[in-house]
Amino acid sequence: MKTENIAAVREFLLQLQTDICSGIEDLDGAARFISDQWDRKEGGMGITRVISDGALVEKGGVNFSHVFGKSMPASATAQRPELAGRAFQAMGVSLVIHPENPYVPTSHANFRLFVAEKENEEPIWWFGGGYDLTPYYGFEDDCVHWHTTAKEACADFGEGYYNKFKNWCDDYFYLKHRDEPRGVGGLFFDDFNEMEFDEAFAFVQSMANSYLKAYSPIVKRRKNLPFGKKERCFQEYRRGRYVEFNLVYDRGTVFGLQSGVGRIESILMSLPPAVRWVYDWKPEPGSAEEKLYTDFLKPREWV
């Protein structure tokens, strides 16, 4: 892999962070991101940008990091033992937006490049990432728009990629201990290097640049809907599932904690500010809360 390839990805990711922050600020209309740039003494740096207590966003973060390590952590080598003992560098943008209004879904995205290197051997590289949507109250047109945009982002790069990554997303963002999906899915891919580097990078750019196209119209439709204590309590209850997934299953969180390359404040910026767990809670039959479970928290062909 050429040095200029890595530099091009880094430049794109930094611009992506800026563009997404600007887009979220425009949607919020009041709050602005604060920026925290940090260096890692073992090698690498990051820029964590956080927004909170806005007209739309209760808490959100858009993080860029580019870090280095002398050996791959167990979370990365468990399924690929050939990577053991290789030095690595990892860069990416990860983001989570937690709106205050329960009718506006939480959204998550990340796009990353890993390069595993060993002296006198060719580097092994791959991309990973995607985006997914976690509504608290389901709307068919929101889900159709989200998945239509995701499908369009994949369309120029070969048959089957949307279906493959959509199904992968459904499988990945699944809480096994709850036997339920985290949300309505989107795109997820990992270990992606089946194209030449330039084409694979172009594909990742297409998906990354479609995130705001997918999310912004949903936010605009829902952000002014009135809500009360009941809706907030349900939102906070469902946010508990988000926390459970991130701390138990999320590969990025596990990688950051196991590898020691991450910065804990940045790793855990994805967690919502207000969450509740209620013992053995069940939705009222026929309610909008029950409809989330019966109509939305199941794998579906949205487009």
Side-chain angles (χ1 to χ4, degrees), residues 46-274:
I47 303 171
T48 298
R49 302 187 67 185
V50 177
I51 186 171
S52 60
D53 301 321
L56 165 71
V57 182
E58 187 172 11
K59 180 188 174 188
V62 185
N63 186 53
F64 168 82
S65 62
H66 185 189
V67 297
F68 303 84
K70 294 181 180 179
S71 62
M72 300 289 287
S75 62
T77 61
Q79 296 179 344
R80 298 187 64 177
E82 74 277 9
L83 299 178
R86 283 180 174 258
F88 71 92
Q89 57 177 304
M91 70 175 73
V93 164
S94 61
L95 69 100
V96 177
I97 303 299
H98 291 292
E100 180 181 14
N101 190 320
Y103 290 110
V104 183
T106 286
S107 69
H108 159 261
N110 75 91
F111 298 94
R112 58 188 180 272
L113 169 68
F114 274 79
V115 183
E117 300 169 291
K118 192 172 184 179
E119 191 174 357
N120 299 323
E121 294 189 22
E122 284 293 312
I124 299 173
W125 61 268
W126 68 94
F127 288 100
Y131 51 69
D132 66 288
L133 194 70
T134 306
Y136 305 99
Y137 290 90
F139 296 93
E140 295 271 342
D141 51 346
D142 291 352
C143 299
V144 170
H145 168 75
W146 180 262
H147 279 274
T148 298
T149 306
K151 186 173 184 178
E152 290 172 352
C154 299
D156 291 338
F157 296 89
E159 290 291 328
Y161 276 119
Y162 165 73
N163 288 331
K164 178 181 178 180
F165 293 167
K166 186 264 185 193
N167 292 334
W168 200 344
C169 190
D170 289 339
D171 291 341
Y172 178 69
F173 289 104
Y174 190 82
L175 289 87
K176 300 178 183 66
H177 63 281
R178 296 284 190 179
D179 192 25
E180 66 183 44
R182 187 172 82 174
V184 298
L187 301 171
F188 180 82
F189 62 102
D190 206 357
D191 302 322
F192 184 71
N193 60 4
E194 58 193 64
M195 303 172 176
E196 293 296 323
F197 182 87
D198 288 346
E199 186 178 9
F201 180 31
F203 193 4
V204 171
Q205 289 174 288
S206 178
M207 286 186 279
N209 288 330
S210 73
Y211 164 75
L212 281 176
K213 297 176 186 176
Y215 192 46
S216 296
I218 297 172
V219 173
K220 291 174 182 178
R221 280 198 293 263
R222 308 300 168 198
K223 68 178 184 178
N224 293 319
L225 293 179
F227 63 91
K229 183 177 179 180
K230 177 186 177 182
E231 290 79 17
R232 277 288 290 178
C233 287
F234 182 62
Q235 178 195 49
E236 291 174 0
Y237 173 75
R238 288 299 310 170
R239 281 174 170 179
R241 301 294 204 267
Y242 208 93
V243 173
E244 290 175 21
F245 181 88
N246 277 31
L247 294 182
V248 176
Y249 300 114
D250 185 78
R251 291 182 187 177
T253 301
V254 173
F255 174 83
L257 297 176
Q258 284 190 354
S259 66
V261 304
R263 177 174 177 267
I264 194 66
E265 286 297 316
S266 299
I267 293 170
L268 298 182
M269 75 172 189
S270 63
L271 300 183

Side-chain angles (χ1 to χ4, degrees), residues 26-47:
D26 289 344
L27 288 170
D28 188 280
R32 294 292 180 263
F33 281 88
I34 61 170
S35 187
D36 179 17
Q37 184 165 333
W38 47 270
D39 293 309
R40 179 174 175 269
K41 64 180 181 180
E42 296 87 350
M45 56 77 67
I47 303 171

